[in-house]
Amino acid sequence: MEILETKYHTVDVIFLQEVASNFYDFFQRSSLATSFHCVLPSGMDGKRDQNSLLLLSKRFFNDSIEDVTAIIEESMEDGVRLVSSDLVAVAVSSRDQRSYLLASFHGDTAGALTLPLLRALFSCAAKRFPRHVLILGLDANSYEPPKAEQLPFTNLIAEAKKLGLSTCFGDDPDVNRCRTTCCARTSLQPQLNKAIRYNDRVSLSDRNPKDLITFKRQQLRLLSPTEVGQMNPVKDNTGQLRYEESMNFPTFDFPSDHAIVAALLQHVDGQS
């Protein structure tokens, strides 16, 4: 919460995944409560404690927020069902009267539900929300290189391009720029068979491109670092707007096992 309060309080949307059910209590006591709307999933799960949330800037967005999660879920392919707390989606308008369709999604461990969700969201946006600007922030649980039954990052990017979506890392990103985890189990944790020796803590860690922001290419574009005068997008695993590629996390300073990914986007008509 402190990192969000001090480093990300000026952004317009914060997409959160795998959030504990008591997050809202901390949010209410934080300075963010005065400047952000907190959108919780209708099926908030206090047992799994893996909930997707949205924080929407009160400065940028109007107060009227419509939860459309159920509409997206109804668009999923036959036989494919999401865990209710893994997706939250809203239709909301900005102060300048643009309409947005915003969604936060947490994929299952192997990423099997990620591509069906992308297709459902794109289909629903086209049919039900054609005038809305679509943005999805997700923990896709994609992998490179993938093991058996895991979602390959290359397949995720290919599906996004097929649907007319771009990502915060570009249309054809270098996977080495997109890795957002670097987590290794120690011998002090359960499941000793998964423990990794200290010397192998980076090379054998879970070091994969799991987290990204996607949006319709015809609606939004990623501003270049030259245009904004800084890196864009920004990856952060330190809480200091900086990413250390060969550092295991979580750490005492950064309590998440997924990096923060931040991006500055612009409407294709030239307005921020």
Side-chain angles (χ1 to χ4, degrees):
M1 186 65 73
E2 181 182 349
I3 293 172
L4 296 179
E5 282 185 291
T6 58
K7 301 299 182 182
Y8 296 93
H9 60 282
T10 61
V11 304
D12 297 323
V13 189
I14 299 176
F15 304 88
L16 298 170
Q17 298 88 36
E18 293 191 280
V19 177
S21 57
N22 65 353
F23 173 88
Y24 187 69
D25 296 329
F26 288 96
F27 170 80
Q28 288 286 69
R29 296 195 295 269
S30 76
S31 61
L32 293 176
T34 62
S35 53
F36 283 86
H37 301 287
C38 182
V39 183
L40 307 174
S42 58
M44 190 79 166
D45 190 336
K47 196 168 186 179
R48 283 176 70 236
D49 255 2
Q50 294 183 345
N51 300 281
S52 294
L53 276 65
L54 287 164
L55 299 184
L56 308 181
S57 168
K58 294 179 180 180
R59 170 188 52 80
F60 188 83
F61 292 103
N62 291 321
D63 296 337
S64 180
I65 302 170
E66 179 187 3
D67 189 326
V68 298
T69 308
I71 299 175
I72 309 299
E73 291 174 335
E74 290 169 2
S75 300
M76 295 292 290
E77 299 160 8
D78 290 343
V80 179
R81 187 174 180 180
L82 301 176
V83 176
S84 60
S85 60
D86 279 343
L87 173 68
V88 62
V90 301
V92 62
S93 62
S94 60
R95 299 291 179 184
D96 63 0
Q97 300 308 308
R98 288 184 187 267
S99 297
Y100 289 83
L101 178 60
L102 307 173
S104 178
F105 174 69
H106 167 238
D108 58 295
T109 302
L113 296 175
T114 299
L115 300 191
L117 182 279
L118 275 184
R119 292 190 286 267
L121 184 60
F122 181 83
S123 173
C124 191
K127 295 175 182 177
R128 302 287 296 272
F129 305 97
R131 298 182 181 276
H132 288 62
V133 177
L134 172 64
I135 310 176
L136 167 67
L138 72 162
D139 167 6
N141 269 325
S142 51
Y143 299 81
E144 195 64 36
K147 297 179 181 177
E149 299 183 1
Q150 290 179 337
L151 170 65
F153 181 70
T154 51
N155 289 14
L156 171 62
I157 296 301
E159 186 68 21
K161 289 180 67 176
K162 179 180 175 182
L163 295 172
L165 300 174
S166 187
T167 82
C168 59
F169 296 112
D171 293 339
D172 297 290
D174 176 357
V175 67
N176 292 312
R177 293 181 54 246
C178 307
R179 301 188 191 278
T180 56
T181 62
C182 188
C183 183
R185 285 180 177 270
T186 73
S187 298
L188 299 178
Q189 294 172 277
Q191 297 178 296
L192 288 176
N193 60 307
K194 296 183 179 181
I196 293 175
R197 295 175 58 196
Y198 181 80
N199 289 342
D200 301 322
R201 66 191 184 282
V202 173
S203 61
L204 297 183
S205 68
D206 174 3
R207 195 162 176 248
N208 284 290
K210 295 187 177 184
D211 306 276
L212 65 161
I213 302 165
T214 63
F215 48 90
K216 282 188 178 180
R217 194 180 302 110
Q218 67 183 32
Q219 296 176 332
L220 298 168
R221 72 180 187 93
L222 181 73
L223 289 171
S224 70
T226 302
E227 290 175 292
V228 298
Q230 64 179 46
M231 292 296 296
N232 192 36
V234 170
K235 293 195 307 181
D236 183 359
N237 65 352
T238 62
Q240 300 297 324
L241 305 177
R242 188 180 72 254
Y243 190 88
E244 300 290 344
E245 290 289 349
S246 298
M247 181 183 78
N248 290 122
F249 59 101
T251 65
F252 288 119
D253 295 322
F254 191 84
S256 173
D257 60 355
H258 287 247
I260 295 171
V261 179
L264 183 59
L265 307 177
Q266 185 181 61
H267 289 276
V268 292
D269 61 14
Q271 297 185 32
S272 297

